[in-house]
Amino acid sequence: QRSTFKVLFYVKRQSEKSGQVPVMGRITINGTMSQFSCKLTVRSTLWDAKQQGLWQKFESQRINEKLENIKTNIGKQYQRLCDRDSYITAEKVRNAFLGLGDNCRLLLQTFDEYLAKFQKRVGKDRSISTFNNYSKADHADIHTDDNGDYWI
């Protein structure tokens, strides 16, 4: 079964401010589509829609390199997911590229794991007072809502 995979870039002209427009990306896989912001802005007059990049000018080189890096990284995430999963969607690839999803851990989850390992080492090469201080800081002013989202 053949899979289609494409990454393209475009500018969001309706969001133009002071002659600058945001650069957006679109991933398409087997008919599924997911869009994202590239976190870049360019002068709208320099954008070349056919090339999905900027006209070849010295000032454009840095942006074109960033776009090429984004495309390469998305391709790597796509390949990684293909090696691991049988069902790939554009959103899965986008989430992997943006650092969202299955393999990502929240800061507090990482800190909880660190504390558990730290506690096992208390009395060997870690002190109980340091562990107690870390434990107090753990969730001191951090709360969760009904969805499990954290807020301070």
Side-chain angles (χ1 to χ4, degrees):
Q1 175 181 354
R2 189 159 175 244
S3 174
T4 62
F5 169 67
K6 183 165 178 87
V7 178
L8 67 85
F9 299 106
Y10 63 97
V11 293
K12 196 172 180 181
R13 293 198 187 275
Q14 62 267 35
S15 298
E16 183 173 342
K17 290 181 186 159
S18 304
Q20 298 276 77
V21 289
V23 180
M24 305 295 290
R26 179 182 299 140
I27 302 168
T28 309
I29 299 173
N30 296 333
T32 66
M33 183 177 68
S34 190
Q35 301 176 131
F36 60 94
S37 168
C38 294
K39 307 281 191 245
L40 299 169
T41 58
V42 298
R43 282 192 292 160
S44 60
T45 56
L46 292 180
W47 185 258
D48 181 356
K50 289 182 182 174
Q51 294 295 320
Q52 297 173 34
L54 300 176
W55 289 102
Q56 294 302 317
K57 293 189 177 193
F58 179 74
E59 62 200 77
S60 309
Q61 188 175 356
R62 184 181 60 82
I63 298 286
N64 285 334
E65 287 172 359
K66 285 185 178 187
L67 293 175
E68 193 56 42
N69 285 340
I70 289 171
K71 195 173 199 173
T72 300
N73 287 332
I74 290 171
K76 287 179 183 177
Q77 293 301 329
Y78 171 72
Q79 195 57 54
R80 187 182 63 80
L81 288 170
C82 283
D83 292 344
R84 192 181 87 185
D85 285 336
S86 59
Y87 181 67
I88 309 294
T89 65
E91 187 159 351
K92 282 184 181 181
V93 174
R94 182 197 68 142
N95 288 344
F97 167 69
L98 295 175
L100 308 170
D102 301 344
N103 294 335
C104 297
R105 298 181 302 163
L106 297 174
L107 177 61
L108 291 178
Q109 291 171 321
T110 304
F111 189 67
D112 287 342
E113 291 171 15
Y114 175 78
L115 270 182
K117 290 177 184 174
F118 192 101
Q119 186 176 24
K120 291 177 183 173
R121 295 171 59 186
V122 167
K124 298 174 187 161
D125 59 352
R126 299 288 185 260
S127 74
I128 188 69
S129 61
T130 303
F131 174 76
N132 288 337
N133 287 336
Y134 284 179
S135 296
K136 287 178 198 167
D138 184 10
H139 299 285
D141 293 316
I142 301 170
H143 312 280
T144 59
D145 62 17
D146 293 338
N147 297 325
D149 294 328
Y150 292 101
W151 57 276
I152 297 175

